[in-house]
């Protein structure tokens, strides 16, 4: 991928030159930092669970065939895990004052599928595969079924031993592109990751509360966001009435709606000033962010490749490896608190 003026990514690059016709990304994939090595085919190389990937893929396909929303749900779950305290499956832990039980995560879903996969793997490969690796693999497979490339996933993560609601620092959906980029950079991601990962909004829904200010009280003016097209404003106001007690959900890309199709429509809607969230629309106003929006809007293939790269980058944030953390027997509990083994 060529991006003039874009910040160079600092991590060692290798190339996965596999056929796009087979559903894989002919794109650059980035290795994790050398002090926290993740490995391609980790469980196969250790001979601890050689078939982990087909096991996970099969369970995801069974679920996806019945419920297409699982793709968006798992993407949100991975984001909530990795962007808070690193990819350590802390979002899966239950209990008082955990991330999972926070009101900020009340709408997260997808836990049942992860639990199902873990149950299967504990039967076939007991004590071998971490919940964190399961989540990363499940996301890869779910987005592939929705139309994304089936990118390589580096493995070897271990699971965290704690989860705290106070760690949660999600940014506002009404933030500027500068604030959004600063948040991603604080997580050791860059402008390409920022623009690309927001492209996950091409699937799923946003609740009215996340863009209500744009419809009725933009920046405290008592008026709508002047950048919104009139027909978009009228349509959204009809779905999100003023002072409604119901926080309805609106599709990011109503053209696809409940099909939950992975596409670059998110970026074409930004160029047309038809975005739901302010942070999404803001991408068109930055130099580098605007350049990437244009590129992705004009090339679905570039977006597919960029997505494979950036979601791998996010999946490598602050991972636990070696003797750090543990391999949970049940993703909901650290092992010493697991009622089934204590």
């Amino acid at each position: 991928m060529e991006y003039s003026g874009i910040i160079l990514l600092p991590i060692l690059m290798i190339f996965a030159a596999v056929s796009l016709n087979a559903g894989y990304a002919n794109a650059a994939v980035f290795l994790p930092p050398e002090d926290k090595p993740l490995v391609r085919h980790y469980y196969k190389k250790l001979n601890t669970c050689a078939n982990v990937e087909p096991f996970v893929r099969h369970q995801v396909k069974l679920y996806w065939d019945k419920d297409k929303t699982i793709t968006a749900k798992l993407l949100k779950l991975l984001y909530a895990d990795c962007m808070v305290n690193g990819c350590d499956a802390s979002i899966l832990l239950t209990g008082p004052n955990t991330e999972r039980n926070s009101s900020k995560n009340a709408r997260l879903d997808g836990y049942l599928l992860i639990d199902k996969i873990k149950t299967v793997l504990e039967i076939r490969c007991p004590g071998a595969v971490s919940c964190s690796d399961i989540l990363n693999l499940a996301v890869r497979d779910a987005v592939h079924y929705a139309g994304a490339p089936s990118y390589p996933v580096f493995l070897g993560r271990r699971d965290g031993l704690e989860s705290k609601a106070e760690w949660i620092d999600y940014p506002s959906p009404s933030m500027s592109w500068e604030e959004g980029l600063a948040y991603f950079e604080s997580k050791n991601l860059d402008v390409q990751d920022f623009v690309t990962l927001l492209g996950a909004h091409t699937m799923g829904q946003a609740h009215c509360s996340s863009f209500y200010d744009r419809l009725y009280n933009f920046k405290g003016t008592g008026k709508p966001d002047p950048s919104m097209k009139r027909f978009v404003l009228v349509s959204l106001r009809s779905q999100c009435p003023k002072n409604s007690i119901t926080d309805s959900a609106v599709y990011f890309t109503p053209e696809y709606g409940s099909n939950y199709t992975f596409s670059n429509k998110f970026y074409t809607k930004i160029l047309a000033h038809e975005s739901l969230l302010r942070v999404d629309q803001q991408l068109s106003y930055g130099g580098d962010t605007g350049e990437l929006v244009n590129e992705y809007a004009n090339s679905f293939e570039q977006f597919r490749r960029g997505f494979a790269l950036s979601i791998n980058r996010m999946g490598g944030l602050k991972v636990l490896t070696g003797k750090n953390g543990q391999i949970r027997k049940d993703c909901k509990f650290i092992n010493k608190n697991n009622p089934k083994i204590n």
Side-chain angles (χ1 to χ4, degrees):
M1 286 170 290
E2 301 82 31
Y3 302 119
S4 60
I6 301 300
I7 298 173
L8 293 177
L9 301 174
I11 299 176
L12 179 65
M13 181 185 294
I14 65 170
F15 291 90
V18 287
S19 172
L20 284 168
N21 293 330
Y24 286 84
N26 184 13
V29 179
F30 288 76
L31 290 173
E34 292 181 2
D35 61 333
K36 295 181 182 295
L38 299 178
V39 179
R40 184 76 177 117
H41 300 304
Y42 174 80
Y43 299 100
K44 183 177 290 187
K45 290 178 179 177
L46 292 183
N47 198 30
T48 54
C49 197
N51 292 316
V52 59
E53 296 196 35
F55 289 156
V56 172
R57 188 178 306 118
H58 177 66
Q59 294 301 321
V60 172
K61 185 62 163 62
L62 290 176
Y63 205 103
W64 187 86
D65 284 342
K66 293 183 283 188
D67 181 7
K68 301 294 188 292
T69 68
I70 193 61
T71 301
K73 291 172 180 175
L74 290 178
L75 278 167
K76 291 177 184 177
L77 204 56
L78 183 66
Y79 176 90
D81 188 41
C82 294
M83 296 293 278
V84 171
N85 193 50
C87 302
D88 63 352
S90 59
I91 189 62
L92 304 179
L93 290 172
T94 59
N97 302 316
T98 59
E99 298 160 72
R100 178 168 174 169
N101 284 16
S102 169
S103 59
K104 296 178 181 179
N105 285 330
R107 292 192 174 115
L108 287 183
D109 204 345
Y111 301 107
L112 290 178
L113 175 55
I114 300 303
D115 288 341
K116 173 62 176 178
I117 295 170
K118 182 61 174 175
T119 298
V120 170
L121 291 177
E122 283 301 309
I123 293 171
R124 297 180 177 274
C125 316
V129 183
S130 70
C131 299
S132 182
D133 277 346
I134 289 171
L135 179 55
N136 276 268
L137 288 170
V139 167
R140 187 270 307 276
D141 295 333
V143 295
H144 175 52
Y145 290 131
S150 184
Y151 50 86
V153 175
F154 294 95
L155 302 170
R157 300 168 187 79
R158 289 169 66 85
D159 301 321
L161 300 175
E162 59 181 345
S163 177
K164 297 181 180 180
E166 65 194 55
W167 291 340
I168 300 172
D169 61 346
Y170 304 142
S172 167
S174 297
M175 64 185 170
S176 67
W177 71 264
E178 294 97 335
E179 292 169 324
L181 178 56
Y183 176 76
F184 271 68
E185 288 179 337
S186 75
K187 306 297 181 178
N188 290 323
L189 297 175
D190 64 17
V191 64
Q192 181 177 331
D193 304 316
F194 173 45
V195 176
T196 306
L197 292 174
L198 282 187
H201 286 169
T202 196
M203 296 174 288
Q205 300 172 298
H207 284 264
C208 294
S209 57
S210 62
F211 56 90
Y212 186 87
D213 59 325
R214 298 191 72 205
L215 305 182
Y216 299 105
N217 191 28
F218 184 65
K219 293 186 174 181
T221 62
K223 299 178 181 180
D225 185 341
S227 70
M228 296 187 76
K229 287 187 174 179
R230 181 65 186 173
F231 83 91
V232 175
L233 177 63
V234 170
S235 174
L236 291 178
R237 279 182 166 181
S238 70
Q239 298 175 78
C240 304
K242 193 172 186 178
N243 299 322
S244 173
I245 60 173
T246 303
D247 192 12
S248 301
V250 179
Y251 287 110
F252 281 105
T253 52
E255 297 85 349
Y256 294 110
S258 59
N259 289 328
Y260 287 82
T261 302
F262 183 89
S263 74
N264 62 341
K265 189 67 176 178
F266 169 78
Y267 299 102
T268 61
K269 292 182 81 67
I270 291 175
L271 295 181
H273 288 273
E274 297 175 10
S275 298
L276 288 185
L277 305 183
R278 180 175 184 245
V279 63
D280 294 344
Q281 190 59 63
Q282 277 278 303
L283 295 179
S284 64
Y285 300 127
D288 290 341
T289 61
E291 182 178 342
L292 279 163
V293 167
N294 273 284
E295 182 156 356
Y296 288 161
N298 288 298
S299 175
F300 179 43
E301 195 52 52
Q302 285 291 77
F303 173 47
R304 292 177 84 246
R305 296 180 181 188
F307 188 82
L309 183 150
S310 288
I311 200 165
N312 255 294
R313 297 245 300 151
M314 185 176 74
L317 294 178
K318 295 176 66 177
V319 296
L320 301 173
T321 58
K323 296 181 179 180
N324 296 313
Q326 64 181 198
I327 305 297
R328 290 184 212 143
K329 299 286 288 183
D330 183 323
C331 295
K332 298 186 294 296
F333 309 101
I334 61 172
N335 291 338
K336 74 174 185 179
N337 295 338
N338 188 339
K340 295 180 182 179
I341 59 177
N342 292 298

